[in-house]
Amino acid sequence: MGSQLKQWLINLGWTWSLLPGVIDVGLVLLLAYMILVIIGERRTLWMVRGLIILMLASALSSALGLRFLSFVLEKLVIGSAVAMALILQAEFRRLLEQIGRGEILQLFRPSQEAVPKPDSVIDEIVDAVKELSQNRTGALLILETDRPIDERDFSVPGVRLNAEVSKELLQTIFQTTTLLHDGAVLIRGSRVIAAGVILPISERTASRQLGTRHRAAMGITERVENCVCVVVSEETGSISLAERGTLHRPLTSSKLKDMLRERFSPSVEREVVLGRQLGARTAALLARLFQSKSSASREKK
């Protein structure tokens, strides 16, 4: 009886000694999962994964006693974290706002507002752009690629519509006789969220052939990564696509359709889902590992 009690106390002490490490690893995995849930943009996910790999490499080199390598990686992690804080201002702002409002549980729920655009929605957009181009009617459309855009990134949010995307609606909005034609249309999923949106103008040096619409498309895509802009020139009727501050022009309607389908393909969404499931899968793997260790210790007894 005494030996069994002694063995039980030894096992209890061994368990309590491991508890801080288990909690530490669990909290880190929870934080990584929360960040991957908040961030939905593909390029941003790769940046976060790169930072996590650097942190793991720094911790491993420190554990192995590689002092110089650990020092270099530690400084690289700090510099990368500062750079990401500047690049991902919108994500960090959303995180701090939700924590400040006490909406911590919502951080673990992936946003379901933006959905992949089906081919029918892209067809409606391309058909409208084709008609506007043939009639030389100027147009500017903002298409969200994943999560919603913060309206504070716009100069003027515009007039809210929340209507279903259709070729007739887009053509009507951009007619010069309407009050909403002088601005951009914001499209989220299959809905026209707002019209008459005024965008910030790009400060980069551009060709004199580019008008205000083209510079506005470059300006918003420079500031916000999770969107693309389709522009129809009022003077020439040429079609352009802006993304990350770069303007692709001139485009045919078929080329525009191919580019939109490529950017809104299900493969992009699958990669986002994989990133969001990373924390859960790691937690399940650790749970199996600890279960196997506990079963092995029972067999020894």
Side-chain angles (χ1 to χ4, degrees), residues 239-277:
I239 303 172
S240 306
L241 179 72
E243 59 177 345
R244 293 186 174 91
T246 302
L247 203 62
H248 304 279
R249 60 185 293 268
L251 302 175
T252 61
S253 58
S254 59
K255 178 62 175 177
L256 175 65
K257 181 182 293 186
D258 293 339
M259 294 180 71
L260 291 180
R261 285 180 175 174
E262 178 183 352
R263 281 148 184 79
F264 296 106
S265 62
S267 60
V268 176
E269 193 68 19
R270 281 197 296 268
E271 186 172 350
V272 173
V273 172
L274 288 175
R276 291 174 177 173
Q277 293 177 347

Side-chain angles (χ1 to χ4, degrees), residues 9 275 278 294:
L9 291 175
L278 179 62
S294 61

Side-chain angles (χ1 to χ4, degrees), residues 36-238:
L36 293 175
V37 166
I38 294 172
I39 299 174
E41 204 268 334
R42 180 173 60 171
R43 183 181 176 186
T44 307
L45 276 175
W46 282 112
M47 293 171 57
V48 174
R49 293 171 186 173
L51 179 62
I52 292 175
I53 292 174
L54 283 178
M55 293 173 63
L56 293 176
S58 176
L60 181 62
S61 61
S62 178
L64 295 176
L66 305 175
R67 297 180 181 178
F68 184 68
L69 180 60
S70 176
F71 173 79
V72 173
L73 289 176
E74 181 181 353
K75 301 306 177 184
L76 187 59
V77 167
I78 295 174
S80 301
V82 173
M84 287 185 61
L86 297 176
I87 297 172
L88 307 178
Q89 294 183 31
E91 283 77 7
F92 280 108
R93 182 171 59 194
R94 178 190 169 199
L95 172 64
L96 295 177
E97 286 179 352
Q98 288 191 280
I99 292 177
R101 291 195 297 262
E103 300 174 352
I104 299 178
L105 294 179
Q106 293 186 7
L107 296 175
F108 301 94
R109 301 173 185 171
S111 176
Q112 298 178 352
E113 294 185 46
V115 295
K117 293 175 173 54
D119 290 341
S120 59
V121 177
I122 294 179
D123 290 341
E124 291 288 332
I125 294 173
V126 172
D127 290 343
V129 169
K130 182 178 179 181
E131 293 288 338
L132 293 169
S133 174
Q134 292 175 351
N135 298 329
R136 294 194 177 183
T137 303
L140 177 57
L141 296 86
I142 314 167
L143 284 68
E144 293 179 347
T145 54
D146 41 66
R147 62 192 183 283
I149 301 175
D150 193 334
E151 290 186 351
R152 286 173 292 187
D153 290 318
F154 301 143
S155 299
V156 178
V159 179
R160 298 193 68 84
L161 298 180
N162 195 23
E164 195 73 22
V165 172
S166 67
K167 178 181 71 173
E168 293 78 12
L169 176 61
L170 295 176
Q171 287 180 302
T172 302
I173 290 175
F174 289 110
Q175 294 302 314
T176 56
T177 55
T178 63
L179 297 177
L180 299 177
H181 79 280
D182 194 12
V185 164
L186 174 62
I187 298 177
R188 177 178 301 157
S190 60
R191 310 287 295 179
V192 176
I193 301 300
V197 180
I198 306 301
L199 305 179
I201 303 297
S202 174
E203 297 180 356
R204 293 168 53 186
T205 303
S207 173
R208 294 181 180 179
Q209 299 177 354
L210 301 180
T212 306
R213 288 188 178 90
H214 295 85
R215 293 173 60 84
M218 295 170 61
I220 189 62
T221 53
E222 287 172 358
R223 178 177 298 190
V224 181
E225 290 188 351
N226 56 301
C227 72
V228 296
C229 286
V230 179
V231 187
V232 179
S233 174
E234 186 174 358
E235 296 181 358
T236 63
S238 63

